[in-house]
Amino acid sequence: VSQAEPVRLSREVIVDAFLRITDEEGADAGTLRRLGIELRADPTSIYRHFRDKQELVAAAADRLLSDAFEGFRPSGSWRADVRELCLRGRAVYMTHPGVLLGVATTPTALGTGLLLAEHMLGAIRAAGLEDAEAVLAFEALEDYVVGKAGIDAASDNEGWRQVHAALPAGTFPNLTATASSIYRDPEEAFLYGLDLMLDALEARLERRAEGRGI
Amino acid sequence: VSQAEPVRLSREVIVDAFLRITDEEGADAGTLRRLGIELRADPTSIYRHFRDKQELVAAAADRLLSDAFEGFRPSGSWRADVRELCLRGRAVYMTHPGVLLGVATTPTALGTGLLLAEHMLGAIRAAGLEDAEAVLAFEALEDYVVGKAGIDAASDNEGWRQVHAALPAGTFPNLTATASSIYRDPEEAFLYGLDLMLDALEARLERRAEGRGI
DNA sequence: ACCTGAACACCGTTCAAGT
DNA sequence: ACCTGAACACCGTTCAAGT
C-alpha cells in the first residue's frame, strides 16, 4: 500500500487509520494531528466527516466490538455463553483500552457493537433469572470485565510488586508476604473472579429450582 | 478562612487545595493553573514541592485512602471484613475517581493509603485460602471495586437507557426489553456482584472444610 | 462539497531570572 | 530556599479562506 499520495477521506478510511495508529503506537498517539500526518491531510479535515473526536472514537469502538462478537454461536449452555462473551469482551478491551473505555461511559448510538452485550444479557435471562435480577447480574459482570481490563491494560504490575516488597513488614505483613506472587497473572485473576461470579449465579439458580420442588 | 492573602506553600496545603478543587469542580478542574489561582501563587510554584503532577496526585490519593480506612475494626468474620473494606474502597473511589484511578495503575510509594488493601488481603488469607489463591481472589475483588467505581462515577446511565430504548427490537430483544430498568441502581448492582463473589468464596471454603472430613 | 491553515483556548513542564 | 514569568511543545476545536 503506497502512502506516498494523499488518501481520499471517508469515515471508514479515517477509522482504519485511527485504529492502525493506536494499535501500533498506543492510545496516546491517537491525536488528530497524528491522524493528519497518517492520512496526508490537514488535521482538521477530520471534522468534515465526524462532528468531533468523540464521534470518531465511537465509530472505532463500534468496529472493534463488532469484530469481537463475530463468529459467536450460542452453545446451549447459558454459563458457557456468558463466559465466552466475557472473554471476547476482555480480549478486545485489552487491545484497545483507550478507544473503548471512553465509549463505555459516554452513551453513543453504536450499531452492531452492542451485539456482544445483547447476547450476554440474553444468556443471563435465558438462565432463568427474572429481569430485575438479570440486569443486576449483567451490570456486575459487564463492569467487572470492562473495569478489570481497563486496569490490567494500564497497570505496571512489576512496579507494584516492588512497592509492596519495600513496605515495612510490621504494618503490612500481608502485602509484604505476597509481594513476589501478587499481580503475576492478571488473566488468571480475571478468570478466577469471573468463575466466582458464575459459580454463585449457578448455585442460586439451582437452589431455586430445588425450592420449587423438582 | 480568608483567601485574600497568598498562602504559604507546603505539600499539605497544596494537597488540601487540590482536593478542594476536584471536590467542588470535578476532576477536570484539577489543573496546575487552577491550583495557582486557588493558592494565589504561580502555577509552576507547585514544582518546588512535587517533582511533577503525578506525585501531587499520588499524595492526594494517599490522603483519601488513609481517611477511607480510618476507624476500621476487624469484626472477627472474614466475610464481613472483606465486604466492609470493599464498601469503603468503593465510596472513596466514587467521590474522587479522577484522583484515584491514575494512582491505581501507576506504582507509587503510598504511606498509610495501602492499609485498606493490606487488611483486605489479610482477611482473605485469614479465611483459609492459601497464598496462591488468596492473591487471585484479592486481585479480582480489588479490580472489581476499583473498576466498577471508575465506570459508575463516569457513566451517563440515563443516556445509555435511551440508547438501548432506541435500538431495533428485532436484533436487540434483550437490551430493548430491559431498557427502562437497566443501570437504574449501580450501587445495588455493585453489591449484587460483590455478594456473588463472596458467596462463591465461602462455598469453596466450606466444601474444602467438608472434604477434610469435619 | 471538501480541504486548508491560521488562530484560539487550553494542557504539563522547563529554565533563566528574580528576591 | 523559594517563587515568578516567559517560553516550549503539545492538545481539541473554530472559522474564514481557498479550490
Side-chain angles (χ1 to χ4, degrees):
Chain A
V1 179
S2 167
Q3 291 286 338
E5 56 217 47
V7 185
R8 179 138 203 93
L9 294 187
S10 68
R11 287 175 68 99
E12 201 193 355
V13 165
I14 294 170
V15 167
D16 282 342
F18 184 70
L19 288 174
R20 201 182 321 131
I21 292 166
T22 53
D23 233 2
E24 294 171 4
E25 299 168 36
D28 289 347
T31 69
L32 299 187
R33 279 167 177 82
R34 177 70 187 80
L35 209 43
I37 294 167
E38 184 81 7
L39 296 167
R40 296 180 185 280
D42 192 89
T44 65
S45 60
I46 277 80
Y47 285 92
R48 247 54 58 197
H49 300 87
F50 296 97
R51 191 148 59 104
D52 52 23
K53 196 190 175 185
Q54 172 63 25
E55 198 182 275
L56 159 60
V57 173
D62 197 22
R63 166 100 127 265
L64 289 171
L65 289 169
S66 295
D67 290 353
F69 176 72
E70 205 176 14
F72 172 76
R73 293 286 173 273
S75 69
S77 155
W78 70 266
R79 178 166 181 157
D81 289 352
V82 171
R83 197 172 193 273
E84 167 72 14
L85 292 166
C86 286
L87 290 179
R88 284 170 178 248
R90 174 175 174 85
V92 70
Y93 269 87
M94 287 292 283
T95 59
H96 289 272
V99 177
L100 290 159
L101 284 174
V103 174
T105 51
T106 311
T108 27
L110 301 176
T112 48
L114 283 174
L115 279 174
L116 221 159
E118 162 66 20
H119 280 78
M120 194 168 125
L121 178 54
I124 292 169
R125 292 174 88 206
L129 292 180
E130 59 185 302
D131 282 4
E133 189 172 350
V135 296
L136 296 180
F138 170 79
E139 288 174 45
L141 281 163
E142 180 185 43
D143 290 347
Y144 173 65
V145 170
V146 172
K148 179 139 177 56
I151 290 167
D152 287 341
S155 287
D156 174 3
N157 292 319
E158 165 65 15
W160 273 116
R161 276 193 297 277
Q162 288 177 15
V163 166
H164 286 200
L167 251 24
T171 46
F172 297 95
N174 294 293
L175 291 184
T176 49
T178 56
S180 66
S181 66
I182 206 167
Y183 305 133
R184 278 276 171 208
D185 195 338
E187 197 70 26
E188 194 184 356
F190 166 71
L191 290 174
Y192 186 85
L194 176 60
D195 287 329
L196 237 38
M197 287 194 179
L198 295 175
D199 275 359
L201 228 35
E202 194 169 357
R204 289 186 188 199
L205 286 163
E206 282 176 6
R207 219 175 305 132
R208 285 169 209 176
E210 289 165 9
R212 283 201 304 275
I214 295 183
Chain B
V1 180
S2 167
Q3 291 288 338
E5 57 216 44
V7 186
R8 179 137 203 94
L9 295 187
S10 69
R11 287 174 68 98
E12 201 193 353
V13 165
I14 294 169
V15 166
D16 283 342
F18 184 70
L19 288 174
R20 201 182 322 129
I21 292 166
T22 52
D23 233 2
E24 295 170 3
E25 299 168 37
D28 290 348
T31 69
L32 299 188
R33 280 167 177 83
R34 176 71 186 80
L35 209 43
I37 293 168
E38 184 81 6
L39 296 167
R40 297 182 182 277
D42 192 89
T44 66
S45 61
I46 277 81
Y47 285 92
R48 248 53 59 196
H49 300 87
F50 296 96
R51 190 146 60 102
D52 51 24
K53 196 190 174 185
Q54 172 63 25
E55 198 181 276
L56 160 59
V57 174
D62 197 20
R63 166 103 125 262
L64 289 171
L65 288 169
S66 296
D67 291 352
F69 176 71
E70 205 176 13
F72 172 77
R73 294 287 173 272
S75 68
S77 155
W78 70 266
R79 178 167 179 155
D81 289 352
V82 171
R83 197 173 193 273
E84 166 72 15
L85 291 166
C86 286
L87 291 179
R88 284 170 177 250
R90 173 175 174 85
V92 70
Y93 268 87
M94 287 292 284
T95 60
H96 289 271
V99 177
L100 290 158
L101 284 173
V103 174
T105 52
T106 312
T108 28
L110 300 176
T112 48
L114 282 174
L115 279 174
L116 220 158
E118 163 66 21
H119 279 77
M120 193 168 125
L121 178 54
I124 292 169
R125 292 175 88 205
L129 291 181
E130 59 186 301
D131 282 5
E133 189 173 349
V135 296
L136 296 180
F138 170 78
E139 288 174 45
L141 280 163
E142 180 184 44
D143 290 347
Y144 173 65
V145 170
V146 172
K148 180 140 178 51
I151 291 167
D152 286 341
S155 286
D156 174 2
N157 291 320
E158 164 65 15
W160 273 116
R161 277 194 296 277
Q162 287 176 15
V163 167
H164 286 201
L167 250 25
T171 47
F172 297 96
N174 294 292
L175 292 184
T176 49
T178 57
S180 65
S181 65
I182 206 166
Y183 305 133
R184 279 274 171 207
D185 195 337
E187 197 69 27
E188 194 185 355
F190 166 71
L191 291 173
Y192 187 85
L194 177 60
D195 287 329
L196 236 37
M197 286 194 180
L198 295 175
D199 275 1
L201 228 34
E202 194 169 359
R204 288 186 188 200
L205 286 162
E206 282 176 7
R207 218 175 306 134
R208 284 168 210 179
E210 288 166 10
R212 283 201 305 274
I214 295 183

